[in-house]
Every structure is written in C-alpha cells, then in structure tokens.
C-alpha cells in the first residue's frame, strides 16, 4: 500500500511539473452556472467582479490551509477544508496532491474516496489513465469494506470490456466484491444483481442470429453462460439477504427448469437465518450514531454463530461508522490474530487501526507483535516502530510501553549462544537510545520520563547479567538507576541484591546491602533484616559484628528521627488546641459585646417607635439560633437604613420603614403560612434546589415559572429562617417521577447571577454516603482541561479558539458557588484524535495576555475520609468527643492533624498534663503500643 502511494505521489509530481512547464493549469470540468437568459453588460461586469473577489479569497484561504498543514500534517479537518476548496476551484493537480497527502496519513472515508474516484474517472480517457484509476480503486477498497466503492469499481471495469482479457477482469473484480461484501444483509443484493446483469448481457451477445443454426462452439458457449447465471442465482439464494423472496421469484421466472430441491432447502435455511438477523438490522436502522451498543450486540450474535466471513463483515461494518474507537479495533484485531491468522488480512487490519487511532499505544504494540508473528522483514518492523514514536501519544507512560515492546522484539532476535553478534549490538544501542529518548524527548514534553522506576534500565541490566554474563555492565546500570532518586526505596535495593545473588558474588551482595542500610528511608528494618540473614548464613564473625553494629546504629537514628517527628506533631497539635481555645474566647467576647450593643439599640428603637412596641419586644426577646451569610453581622446604622429604604422605592413624603420593621413585617407574613413538613415518601418526585440568592423575592413564584417547563409542579417549599428571610434553598415536588428526573437537567442554571444547584432529594441519615457529582473523575481522552484563562474569557471566545482544531461538542467554564469564573474550563471534542491535536496546538497559547495550560482531562481521585485502622495505637491520639443533640458545634472543631486523629485507641491529655482515659472508652487502662520487631517489619513489607 505504501509502495502504491509512493508511485502515485511520484506520478502526480511528474504530471504537475509537466503542466507547470507548459504554462497552464488543468481544471476539472465543473458544471456551467445556470443561465439567466439575456443579461446586460453591467450585470455581466458585476458578476465577473464578484467572481474575481471570491476567487482571490479562496486562493488566500488555500494558501493559509497549506501553511497550516506544513506546520501540523495530522490536522484532519484542515485536510478536508483544503480538498473542498480545491475541488470547488477545479485545481486538479493541487487537488490530487492534497488527496494523496491525506491518504498517506489517514484512511479516507467512503465519501472522500467516491468523490476522488468520480473526478479521476471524468478525466480518464486514455488506457494509461484508466490504469491509474484502477490503481486508485485498489487503494480505496483496502481502507474500508464499502459496498458502494466495490459496486463503482465493478461498473467502471465494464467500460474496459473491449480490451484483451476484459471480460475475465470484470468477472474477477465482481468475485472479489462478492467475497468482501456479498454477505452484507442490506447492501449485498445490489452487487449480486449487477453481476447477473453483466452475465445476462454477455448471454444476449452470444445468442445466434434469428433463423440461423448455432455451431457446436456457439452452443457450448451458450450452455456455459447459462450455467454461470444459474450458479449466481443459486449462490445468492443460499445467503441471508434482504428481498430474498424477490430474487427467488425472479429465478423461478428466468429458469426454464424447476428449481432443484437442494437449492430450495438452502433458500429456506437462509430465510430462517435472515429472520434471526432482522432484529439486529432493524436496531441499527433505528439507532443514532455511533450505534456502538447495537453493533456490539450484532457482533456477539455472529460470534456465537461462528461463521468467520460473517464475523469479519460485521466488524468491518461497525468500524466503517466507528473508525475512531480504539477498543473496537483492538477486539477486531484480537479476533483476526487468534482465529483467522491470515497474514494479508491481519496485517491490513492492524495497519488501518494505527492509521485511524495513532494516539493509542496498544494498537501499535499489537501491530508490532503481529508483524513479528507473521515473519515480516526487520526493516519494515523498525520503520513501523519509528512511525509509532511520531504518533503523538498523550501520556509519557505510552512511550515507555512502545519502547519496551520494541526492545522485547529485538531481544527475541538475538542468539545469546554467541559472544557477539550484530543483533546483540543493535539491542544494546536500542536500550541506550530508549533511555536517552525518555530523558530528552518525553521528559521535555510531559515534564516526566514516564519511567520513574527505570524499568527499561532494569530489564537491560537483567539481559546483561543473565543472558550476556556481563555483571560489570549490569552493576553500572544499577548504579545509574540508584542515582535517579531510587536509592531511598527498599524494594529497589532488594531487586539489585537478588540480581547479585543470582549472577554475582557474595562480596558485591554485602556491599549492596550495606549501602541499602545507609540509604533506605521507607523500610530500613527490612533491609537490615536481609543483611543480618546474609551474614548469618555466609559471613564471618567480623562480618556479623560489622553488620549488627551498622544496623543498630541505623535503626537508632531512624527511631530518633521518628520520635522527633512525633514530638513536632504533638507540639503542633497543642498549638492548634491553644489557638482554638483563644478563638473560642474571642468569639464569646465578641458575641457578648454585640448582644449588649443590640440591647442598647433596641431600647432606643422602642422609645422612637411606640406604635410598634409589641413587635419590638418580641424581636428583642427572640434571639435567632443561627445566622446565615445573607443576614449580615449586625444592625445597620441610621444612614444605611435610609439608603436601603430608598432602594425599595419609597417616596420622600412618606416616612420610610426601617429594616427592622421590614423584617418584622416579613416575619408576620411568613407566620401566616403554615409550615409543611418534608414527606420522605415523596423523595422520588422531589428535587432539592440550593445555592439560590438570599434576596430572591417571592421564591415560590420565581421557581414555579422555572420548573414548569419540566412538568406539572405539585408544590414548592422554600425554607425560611426564624426571622422570615429566605435561606437560599427549597424543595420542588412534581406530579410524577419523570418530571423530577427532567428537572435535574436544570442543574447549574444561572438564576439571578448565581448557579442554581439541583440534585435528587435523598435522606442523608438513611444514605450517608450519597454524593452527587455529575462529571467524570477518570481519564477522558476526548476532553481537555484548560487552566490559566482570564476571568473575562467567555464561552463563545473560548469556542472560537478551540473549534479551529476539531468539532467542539461542549465547553464548561468552571465557576464558584457565586457563579464567578475560576479561570478553568473543560472542552469536549468529538474524538480523541482532535483532542490530542488541540493539546499540541493550544498548550502555551496566549489569550488576553494570559498563557494557558492545556492537557487531557484526568481529574485526581476524590479522596474519601480515612477510617481508623484497627490494631494501631499512639500516645498522641485524641479522645472521641461526646456531643449533644445538635452534634458538633463550630467551637468544637478539633484542630488536631489528621495523622494523629486516625489512631484507634483514643486517649487524651488533661489540662494538668496527665493522660486520662476518654469518656467514650471503657474503664480498662489504655493498651501500650506494641513494639514491632525486624521480622514484623519484614512481614509487613512482604504482605503489601
């Protein structure tokens, strides 16, 4: 396929050079514009002027697209736009070149191929040009299995029937088409009918003239031609295709002899099979793109039936509509690798898979394995590997995986019975190149090598030690591994020790363990235990004494460091407790002063407003238990109250009501409304609405207008404070459950400048773990995460930037609870290819003097609260508090660090410094923390 592409490119370049040398341009025969009858000269000049302007604009756009493709050749949409413009302008040479470049990078869709083929067919008049069209058809049928392209190919070949061997060539193309798509339930019939029509046309030409007697040769030719048509009918009737009954009736009418019983039996069997396939075909017909679930059900059905040809066809049909789904390609290739094992078929499918989804490293790895399995030449495998490195993977670890797969292939080529060979040197140079590539190319792009544990270097060291008997090189590699930040991990030292133990000597094992004791920081006890075990088995008395002294000194330092850390944490905890107590006292003093000030202001109001004394006394007597963010920190001053009453539109002649009076009136009006208790039995038809503005006037009316679009609203229950002010949340009850589910779609809708939160109504006491989070928390390869955006950036402005790199499905600007932007956004593209290209083009882009960062969306895991571990105790643990009926109050928040709160044996420090048992525990004395021996640490590590 690559050779055909190179030949076509060379031919196009040669043709272009010839035409440019001739000083002219070859154009497609475009249809003439519709004539409007007689036209005046002015109209002609105006239209020609407009045409010139449009042509200049198109030329400028063509130049811009070509420049963009020179920067990023993998911009799929840019290729499409360029081809469309060139076809509109009729530039055949440039159009050929553009299509050729795109076909080298991507498999072309059925529509693109048909347009290309039809354009070339219009221009092909000579035999040499017809041969180029045949070559183009051969390339087209390899990208996807499309019945329309095969039918066009067969019909075009009929035009060359007059050439030598023309009839046999047409029959060969028809037979290949039937093999490829003749089993297509809905579109296969057209190919069978076209083939029969061709053979019937030949039969008509072979008929003798009326009144003449056919010669024996003519009679034999007629018989053989009739037998061909009989065979075609019988083959078709044995395949489950739509409109089989019409084909059977046509055969009955055409045949002069009765249809044999075997053919009727096969026909009925095919009809039964068609009935089984019809539900799946109807599901595909009624489903919306991408139809993945419907295709998967159809594939499972055919897999159970077990016909390889039908399984292959349904996979191809699914891939034609879902060519950018890597998992579908992976399942298809796995089936071909394990079941069919036909070299040409397998390698073609793998090649198409990586051309459609080049960002998926798993497809490239399977391709390399398939080529090795089928004995492909080494230079071709190396070429495919180089293409994989340039595919633009979206994670650093992907490059580690593809390098490891290629190194495994190179290792399997080496004959290690020889001391030196060309293959061994190639393997060593590939290992060195892989290490350098991860360090330079990958780390520069992703800010990480993707291989923190140096697995590639570890494998290299194993190859040198076990297969090449070169422990010196293996030690050099491990020394390099340890200098990359791995010396503090016990498992890395033990891996090196095991390699030395198997292929080295005791002296180097001892040296490695001594270094491990000195450097390990995660599990030093285990490394010390391994060193003592080595000396116990193989060491002398001096070695034993040195090992004991070294391990004791090391463990003493470790225990000392751990004690210092514990003391530091305890001191911090004590400081936090003291600060909490100070804040508690400050809040109490502030509250007392505000209460005294409020009483004084209340007395003044009582003197000024004698007519409202009764309400004033009620307000003074009733102190609210809880103040919300919208209530304010205190009473307004005189001028502030005048300003607020002015905002409500009071006239100057009237005496304005004071805010206290307004609140009192609101409270009075709310008291008239009977309180409705929440009925948990109606949770399925109720939604909980929160984050509303506290200043919302008439929440029932406002929200009813908003939610009536979802269905009939039964009741709206806003929640008010004791003063009668709206608390910003409410319950909306619908007539039916469907309306409640539809109302969830209004979540995050902006209402009065704030995003309204709409969630299911769930009793948290019965479902304490219930949490609504509407967005994915896993890797989404088709979605981008953008940070660093200016706060003034709108959704439309961001869409204008993003749509240049693909079709944008959705954009979500992240805001806080008040609806203010946070400078973050999520952009969802149609597929992974467009998203990966957008990352390459947009990362580091400047928008309104802000440099943005763009990455594939991969949110961190949501942390769950840690549960206390049974069996662990600490002298720094805090007691579990006993709270009242209202639970933990604000001033009862513990300031102890989480690391100290997780202990399971709660003891507390009293004010006099003595340790006391927690009231929540039994009267038994606290259990002393159990000291762990070296063996216990070793078991703990091995059990991880």
């Amino acid at each position: 396929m690559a050779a055909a592409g190179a030949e076509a490119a060379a031919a196009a370049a040669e043709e272009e050079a010839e035409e440019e040398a001739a000083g002219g341009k070859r154009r497609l025969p475009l249809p003439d514009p519709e004539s409007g009858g007689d036209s005046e000269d002015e109209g002609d000049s105006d239209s020609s002027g407009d045409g010139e302007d449009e042509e200049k604009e198109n030329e400028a756009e063509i130049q811009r697209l070509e420049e963009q493709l020179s920067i990023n050749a993998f911009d799929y949409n840019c290729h499409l736009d360029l081809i469309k413009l060139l076809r509109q302008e009729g530039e055949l040479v440039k159009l050929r070149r553009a299509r050729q470049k795109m076909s080298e990078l991507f498999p072309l869709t059925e529509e693109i191929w048909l347009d290309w083929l039809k354009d070339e067919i219009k221009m092909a008049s000579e035999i040499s040009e017809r041969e180029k069209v045949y070559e183009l058809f051969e390339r087209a049928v390899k990208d996807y299995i499309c019945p329309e392209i095969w039918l066009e190919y067969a019909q075009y070949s009929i035009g060359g029937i007059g050439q030598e061997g023309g009839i046999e060539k047409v029959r060969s193309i028809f037979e290949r088409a039937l093999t490829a798509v003749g089993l297509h339930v809905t579109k296969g019939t057209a190919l069978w009918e076209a083939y029969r029509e061709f053979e019937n046309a030949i039969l008509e030409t072979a008929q003798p003239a009326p009144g003449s007697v056919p010669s024996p040769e003519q009679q034999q030719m007629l018989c053989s031609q009739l037998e061909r048509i009989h065979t075609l009918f019988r083959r078709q009737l044995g395949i489950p295709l739509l409109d089989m009954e019409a084909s059977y009736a046509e055969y009955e009418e055409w045949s002069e002899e009765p249809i044999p019983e075997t053919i009727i039996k096969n026909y009925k069997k095919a009809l039964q099979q068609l009935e089984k396939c019809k539900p799946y075909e109807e599901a595909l017909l009624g489903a919306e793109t991408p139809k993945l679930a419907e295709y998967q059900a159809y594939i499972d059905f055919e897999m159970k039936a077990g016909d390889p040809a039908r399984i292959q066809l349904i996979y191809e049909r699914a891939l034609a509509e879902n060519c950018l789904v890597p998992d579908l390609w992976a399942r298809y290739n796995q089936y071909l690798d394990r079941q069919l094992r036909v070299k040409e078929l397998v390698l073609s499918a793998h090649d198409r898979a990586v051309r459609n989804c080049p960002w998926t490293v798993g497809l490239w790895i399977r391709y390399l394995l398939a080529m090795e399995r089928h004995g492909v030449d080494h230079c071709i495998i190396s070429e495919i590997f180089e293409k994989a490195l340039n595919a633009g993977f979206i994670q650093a670890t992907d490059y580690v995986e593809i390098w490891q797969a290629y190194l495994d292939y190179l290792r399997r080529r080496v004959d290690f019975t020889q001391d030196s060979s060309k293959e061994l040197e190639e393997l060593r140079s590939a290992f060195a190149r892989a290490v350098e590539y991860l360090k330079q190319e990958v780390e520069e792009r992703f800010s990480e090598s993707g291989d923190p544990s140096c697995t590639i270097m570890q494998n290299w060291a194993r190859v040198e030690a076990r297969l090449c008997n070169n422990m010196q090189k293996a030690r050099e590699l491990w020394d390099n591994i340890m200098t990359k930040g791995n010396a503090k991990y016990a498992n890395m030292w033990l891996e090196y020790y095991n390699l030395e133990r198997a292929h080295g000597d005791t002296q180097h094992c001892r040296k490695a363990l001594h270094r491990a004791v000195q450097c390990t920081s995660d599990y030093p006890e285990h490394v010390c235990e391994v060193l003592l075990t080595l000396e116990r088995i193989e060491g002398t008395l001096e070695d034993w004494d040195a090992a004991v002294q070294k391990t004791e000194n090391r463990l003493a330092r470790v225990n000392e460091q751990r004690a210092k850390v514990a003391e530091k944490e305890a001191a911090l905890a004590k400081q936090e407790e003291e600060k909490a107590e100070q804040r508690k006292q400050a809040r109490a003093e502030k509250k007392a002063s505000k209460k005294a000030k409020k009483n004084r202001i209340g007395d003044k109001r009582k003197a000024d407003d004698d007519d409202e004394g009764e309400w004033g006394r009620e307000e003074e007597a009733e102190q609210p238990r809880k103040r919300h963010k919208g209530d304010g920190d205190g009473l307004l001053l005189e001028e502030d109250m005048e300003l607020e009453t002015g905002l409500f539109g009071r006239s100057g002649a009237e005496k304005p009501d004071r805010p206290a009076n307004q609140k009192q009136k609101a409270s009075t009006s709310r008291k008239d409304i009977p309180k409705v208790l929440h009925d948990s039995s109606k949770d399925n038809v109720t939604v909980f609405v929160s984050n509303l503005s506290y200043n919302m006037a008439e929440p029932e009316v406002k929200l009813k207008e908003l939610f009536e679009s979802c269905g009939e609203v039964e009741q709206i229950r806003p929640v008010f404070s004791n003063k009668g002010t709206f608390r910003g949340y409410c319950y909306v009850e619908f007539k039916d459950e469907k309306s409640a589910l539809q109302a969830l779609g209004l979540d995050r809708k902006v209402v009065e400048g704030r995003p309204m939160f709409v969630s299911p109504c769930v009793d948290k006491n019965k479902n304490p773990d219930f949490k609504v989070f509407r967005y994915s928390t896993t890797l989404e390869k088709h979605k981008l995460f953008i940070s660093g955006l200016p706060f003034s950036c709108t959704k439309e402005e961001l869409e204008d930037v993003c749509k240049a790199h693909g079709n944008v499905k959705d954009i979500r600007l992240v805001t806080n609870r008040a609806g203010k932007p946070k400078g973050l956004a999520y952009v969802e593209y149609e597929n992974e290819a467009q998203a990966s290209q957008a990352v390459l083009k947009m990362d580091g882009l400047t928008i309104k003097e802000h440099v943005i960062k763009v990455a594939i969306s991969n949110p961190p895991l949501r942390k769950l609260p840690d549960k206390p571990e049974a069996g662990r105790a600490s002298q720094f643990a805090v007691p579990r508090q006993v709270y009242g009926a209202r639970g933990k109050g604000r001033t009862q928040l513990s300031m102890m660090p989480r690391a100290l709160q997780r202990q399971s044996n709660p003891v507390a420090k009293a004010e006099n410094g003595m340790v006391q048992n927690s009231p929540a525990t039994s009267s038994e004395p606290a259990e002393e923390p159990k000291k762990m021996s070296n063996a216990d640490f070793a078991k703990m590590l091995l059990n991880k």
Side-chain angles (χ1 to χ4, degrees):
M1 189 170 181
E7 292 174 2
E14 182 180 355
E15 185 175 344
E16 181 182 1
E18 291 176 357
E19 293 179 2
E20 289 180 354
K25 293 184 179 179
R26 190 175 183 183
R27 293 183 174 271
L28 284 171
L30 298 176
D32 295 332
E34 294 182 2
S35 175
D38 297 334
S39 59
E40 298 180 358
D41 294 340
E42 291 183 3
D44 291 341
S45 61
D46 291 343
S47 61
S48 62
D50 294 341
E52 290 177 1
D53 293 340
E54 184 180 354
E55 187 174 352
K56 289 180 180 179
E57 290 177 3
N58 290 343
E59 288 179 359
E61 181 66 12
I62 289 171
Q63 186 176 358
R64 185 191 69 80
L65 292 171
E66 289 176 343
E67 291 175 357
Q68 187 171 341
L69 286 175
S70 65
I71 299 172
N72 180 17
F74 287 92
D75 192 332
Y76 189 88
N77 292 322
C78 190
H79 281 284
L80 292 180
D81 293 340
L82 179 60
I83 289 173
K84 182 179 179 181
L85 269 178
L86 290 174
R87 193 165 190 260
Q88 180 180 336
E89 289 295 304
E91 296 284 352
L92 178 60
V93 177
K94 290 184 178 180
L95 181 60
R96 278 176 176 167
R97 186 169 66 243
R99 284 166 167 166
Q100 176 64 33
K101 287 181 179 180
M102 186 177 183
S103 67
E104 291 172 359
L105 297 174
F106 306 100
L108 304 185
T109 62
E110 176 184 331
E111 293 78 14
I112 297 176
W113 272 120
L114 288 175
D115 287 341
W116 190 357
L117 290 165
K118 289 175 182 177
D119 290 343
E120 294 294 342
I121 289 172
K122 292 176 184 177
M123 304 300 298
S125 57
E126 300 178 359
I127 296 177
S128 60
E129 292 176 337
R130 288 185 63 86
E131 289 299 324
K132 291 180 180 178
V133 176
Y134 281 127
E135 294 173 3
L136 202 59
F137 268 115
E138 288 295 332
R139 291 173 56 194
V141 296
K142 290 179 181 177
D143 273 358
Y144 299 108
I145 294 183
C146 299
E148 288 81 2
I149 293 179
W150 274 111
L151 185 59
E152 190 75 23
Y153 189 11
Q155 290 175 344
Y156 179 73
S157 65
I158 295 175
I161 196 173
Q163 302 174 12
E164 184 178 355
I167 294 178
E168 294 304 321
K169 185 173 184 178
V170 174
R171 285 174 177 159
S172 172
I173 293 172
F174 266 118
E175 288 295 336
R176 289 173 56 200
L178 293 179
T179 303
V181 293
L183 299 179
H184 198 297
V185 176
T186 58
K187 298 181 180 180
T189 305
L191 269 170
W192 287 100
E193 290 177 351
Y195 196 0
R196 288 203 315 273
E197 288 176 4
F198 168 72
E199 294 294 352
N200 274 318
I202 295 178
L203 178 64
E204 291 295 330
T205 59
Q207 292 287 352
S212 61
V213 178
S215 62
E217 292 81 5
Q218 289 177 329
Q219 190 67 34
Q220 184 179 358
M221 189 177 70
L222 283 172
C223 291
S224 63
Q225 190 63 23
L226 286 170
E227 185 59 30
R228 281 196 185 96
I229 300 174
H230 274 290
T231 303
L232 281 176
F233 267 118
R234 293 167 183 173
R235 288 169 60 190
Q236 180 182 356
L237 292 176
I239 300 171
L241 300 171
L242 288 183
D243 297 329
M244 289 185 64
E245 297 84 353
S247 300
Y248 183 80
E250 183 182 351
Y251 186 32
E252 280 186 321
E253 182 181 352
W254 181 85
S255 177
E256 298 177 355
E257 302 174 358
I259 300 177
E261 286 297 327
T262 55
I263 304 302
I264 297 175
K265 185 178 179 180
N266 291 338
Y267 167 69
K268 291 181 178 179
K269 184 178 179 181
L271 271 178
Q272 294 175 356
Q273 191 174 358
L274 178 63
E275 290 301 318
K276 296 179 182 178
C277 295
K278 272 186 178 179
Y280 299 99
E281 293 291 345
E282 291 170 356
L284 288 175
L285 189 63
E288 296 181 359
T289 306
K291 308 179 184 179
L292 275 174
E294 290 76 14
Y295 272 119
Q296 188 57 53
Y298 206 163
I299 290 171
D300 294 339
F301 165 74
E302 294 292 0
M303 291 287 282
K304 290 179 181 178
D307 186 345
R310 299 191 63 82
I311 294 172
Q312 180 194 356
L313 179 62
I314 190 58
Y315 264 120
E316 290 287 352
R317 288 177 60 184
L319 288 167
E321 295 190 43
N322 299 278
C323 59
L324 299 178
V325 180
D327 291 341
L328 189 58
W329 281 109
R331 291 195 293 270
Y332 181 38
N333 290 336
Q334 182 179 3
Y335 171 76
L336 295 177
D337 286 334
R338 295 180 180 179
Q339 302 297 328
L340 294 187
R341 301 179 185 177
V342 179
K343 178 179 179 180
E344 291 76 12
L345 188 61
V346 169
L347 297 182
S348 172
H350 279 289
D351 179 69
R352 289 185 292 140
V354 298
R355 290 176 66 203
N356 276 285
C357 307
W359 63 89
T360 308
V361 67
L363 296 178
W364 288 100
I365 292 174
R366 291 185 179 91
Y367 193 9
L368 294 176
L369 291 172
M371 287 190 292
E372 181 184 2
R373 198 176 292 121
H374 290 281
V376 177
D377 190 65
H378 171 62
C379 63
I380 297 178
I381 297 179
S382 299
E383 182 181 343
I384 295 299
F385 169 70
E386 295 297 332
K387 287 183 179 180
L389 289 182
N390 296 321
F393 299 131
I394 58 179
Q395 297 182 100
T397 53
D398 292 344
Y399 288 94
V400 179
E401 292 180 27
I402 193 66
W403 267 111
Q404 193 59 64
Y406 184 59
L407 292 168
D408 292 344
Y409 157 71
L410 293 179
R411 195 264 310 160
R412 289 190 285 266
R413 296 181 67 241
V414 179
D415 182 6
F416 289 100
T417 58
Q418 302 179 8
D419 293 337
S420 179
S421 64
K422 178 182 177 182
E423 289 79 8
L424 179 58
E425 293 305 317
E426 185 178 1
L427 174 62
R428 283 173 171 159
S429 77
F431 268 117
R433 183 189 167 200
V435 173
E436 188 66 20
Y437 186 90
L438 295 177
K439 180 180 178 182
Q440 298 291 336
E441 302 289 337
V442 178
E443 194 164 346
E444 179 181 349
R445 178 180 170 189
F446 296 97
S447 300
E448 59 165 328
S449 66
D451 191 16
S453 300
C454 301
T455 55
I456 287 181
M457 294 183 70
Q458 288 188 47
N459 291 331
W460 189 2
R462 293 187 189 102
V463 169
E464 294 289 354
R466 297 176 184 176
L467 301 177
C468 301
N469 298 318
N470 188 355
M471 273 304 299
Q472 183 61 33
K473 181 64 177 177
R475 293 182 186 118
E476 292 176 4
L477 291 169
W478 267 105
D479 186 64
N480 195 2
I481 290 172
M482 292 304 182
T483 60
K484 294 183 180 297
N486 293 302
K488 59 185 177 181
Y489 300 117
N491 65 323
M492 299 297 287
W493 284 107
L494 295 179
E495 186 71 31
Y496 174 40
Y497 165 75
N498 291 331
L499 191 67
E500 281 285 0
R501 193 76 172 152
H503 306 286
D505 52 60
T506 305
Q507 187 63 29
H508 282 91
C509 288
R510 181 177 291 112
K511 184 178 178 181
L513 289 177
H514 275 274
R515 289 178 61 195
V517 169
Q518 191 68 26
C519 301
T520 302
S521 61
D522 55 350
Y523 296 103
E525 293 87 355
H526 185 51
V527 176
C528 292
E529 184 70 22
V530 174
L531 175 59
L532 293 175
T533 302
L534 174 68
E535 301 300 359
R536 181 176 285 113
I537 296 173
E538 299 188 17
T540 63
L541 178 60
E542 291 78 9
D543 294 332
W544 173 261
D545 290 340
V548 170
Q549 182 179 358
K550 185 148 193 165
T551 54
E552 287 180 349
N553 292 339
R554 175 59 177 162
L555 292 178
R557 288 197 301 272
V558 169
N559 292 330
E560 182 180 351
Q561 291 172 357
R562 289 174 178 170
K564 288 181 180 179
V565 171
E567 290 176 3
K568 186 176 180 181
E569 290 181 349
L572 289 174
K574 187 175 181 180
Q575 290 178 7
E576 291 295 336
E577 287 181 353
E578 292 174 354
K579 290 179 180 179
E581 187 64 27
Q582 292 174 3
R583 286 194 292 268
K584 180 179 178 180
Q585 294 177 359
R587 281 195 296 269
E589 293 173 359
K590 186 176 180 181
K591 185 176 181 181
S593 64
K594 285 184 177 181
K595 185 176 181 180
K597 183 178 178 181
K598 185 175 181 181
N599 290 336
R600 289 195 299 270
I601 296 176
D603 293 340
K604 183 179 178 181
R605 283 183 181 168
K606 184 176 180 181
D608 293 340
D609 302 325
D610 292 335
D611 56 334
E612 298 181 2
E614 182 180 357
W615 291 109
R617 284 193 298 273
E618 285 187 15
E619 176 119 0
E620 185 179 352
E622 182 182 348
Q623 295 292 333
R625 295 184 178 180
K626 189 174 181 181
R627 184 173 69 250
H628 297 280
K629 287 195 280 187
D631 295 341
D633 294 330
L635 295 177
L636 298 173
L637 298 177
E638 188 69 19
E639 57 271 17
D640 295 329
M641 289 190 284
E642 290 178 0
L643 177 62
E644 278 207 9
T645 53
L647 291 175
F648 282 99
R650 297 285 186 178
S651 62
E654 296 178 357
K655 182 178 178 180
D657 289 339
R658 299 174 185 265
N661 299 340
Q662 294 174 1
K663 291 182 180 179
Q664 291 166 3
K665 291 182 179 180
S667 177
T668 305
S669 63
R670 295 299 174 194
K671 286 179 181 179
D672 297 336
I673 302 176
K675 291 186 178 180
V676 180
L677 297 177
H678 176 65
D679 187 359
S680 60
S681 64
K682 296 183 179 181
D683 283 351
N684 61 325
V685 295
T686 307
V687 295
F688 179 68
V689 184
S690 59
N691 201 41
L692 298 169
S693 173
Y694 293 116
N695 299 322
M696 180 181 287
E698 299 296 334
E700 300 97 324
V701 178
K702 177 74 175 178
L703 295 176
K704 187 170 184 180
E705 294 176 356
L706 191 62
F707 282 96
E708 277 182 338
S709 61
C710 304
E712 185 177 353
V713 178
E714 180 74 13
Q715 187 182 34
I716 294 180
R717 300 190 295 276
V719 180
F720 297 93
S721 65
N722 291 334
K723 298 179 183 179
T725 58
F726 183 45
R727 297 180 64 179
Y729 61 92
C730 69
Y731 297 89
V732 180
E733 182 182 328
F734 291 91
K735 278 282 189 182
D736 51 39
E737 186 175 355
K738 182 179 179 182
S739 301
L741 294 174
Q742 189 174 352
L744 297 177
L746 297 178
D747 187 32
R748 311 281 171 159
K749 181 178 178 63
V750 178
V751 178
E752 295 190 2
R754 295 171 65 89
M756 174 181 67
F757 298 164
V758 184
S759 59
C761 188
V762 176
D763 188 352
K764 292 296 184 68
N765 294 326
K766 298 179 181 178
N767 300 278
D769 297 330
F770 179 78
K771 183 71 176 177
V772 176
F773 191 71
R774 60 182 293 193
Y775 303 110
S776 174
T777 57
T778 58
L779 177 66
E780 299 174 282
K781 296 184 179 180
H782 66 291
K783 186 180 290 186
L784 305 184
F785 173 68
I786 303 178
S787 59
L789 289 168
F791 291 158
S792 60
C793 182
T794 64
K795 184 176 180 180
E796 291 73 18
E797 291 173 343
L798 184 59
E799 184 176 7
D800 290 339
V801 176
C802 297
K803 69 182 182 181
H805 310 290
N807 295 327
V808 178
K809 291 181 65 178
D810 184 41
I811 292 180
R812 177 167 65 91
L813 294 177
V814 182
T815 61
N816 58 17
R817 292 181 67 88
K820 304 298 182 183
K822 300 174 69 174
L824 309 174
Y826 289 90
V827 180
E828 182 179 357
Y829 282 93
E830 278 192 348
N831 52 62
E832 300 174 22
Q834 296 177 0
S836 60
Q837 292 304 317
V839 171
L840 296 175
K841 298 294 293 181
M842 292 174 58
D843 190 28
L845 189 68
T846 301
I847 298 179
K848 295 184 179 180
E849 300 182 355
H850 285 68
V851 179
I852 64 172
K853 293 184 179 180
V854 184
I856 296 296
S857 174
N858 189 15
L861 294 176
R862 298 175 66 82
K863 294 183 179 179
L864 299 174
D866 295 329
K867 296 182 180 179
E869 299 178 17
R872 295 185 60 183
S874 172
Q875 58 181 345
F876 305 109
V878 296
R880 187 180 299 277
Q881 298 290 338
V882 179
Y883 305 119
R886 297 182 63 190
K888 179 186 285 188
R890 284 186 186 172
T891 57
Q892 292 175 308
L893 289 173
S894 173
M895 299 301 170
M896 185 69 68
R898 292 192 188 94
L900 301 181
Q901 290 179 356
R902 294 174 185 160
Q903 311 303 327
S904 61
N905 188 16
V907 293
K909 249 186 181 181
E911 291 181 359
N912 59 4
M914 299 296 292
V915 177
Q916 298 177 344
N917 288 335
S918 168
T921 62
S922 64
S923 61
E924 296 179 3
E927 203 175 22
E928 287 292 327
K930 182 181 178 182
K931 294 183 179 180
M932 300 183 70
S933 66
N934 292 335
D936 292 333
F937 275 100
K939 291 178 181 178
M940 180 178 69
L941 179 63
L942 295 174
N943 290 333
K944 293 197 84 174

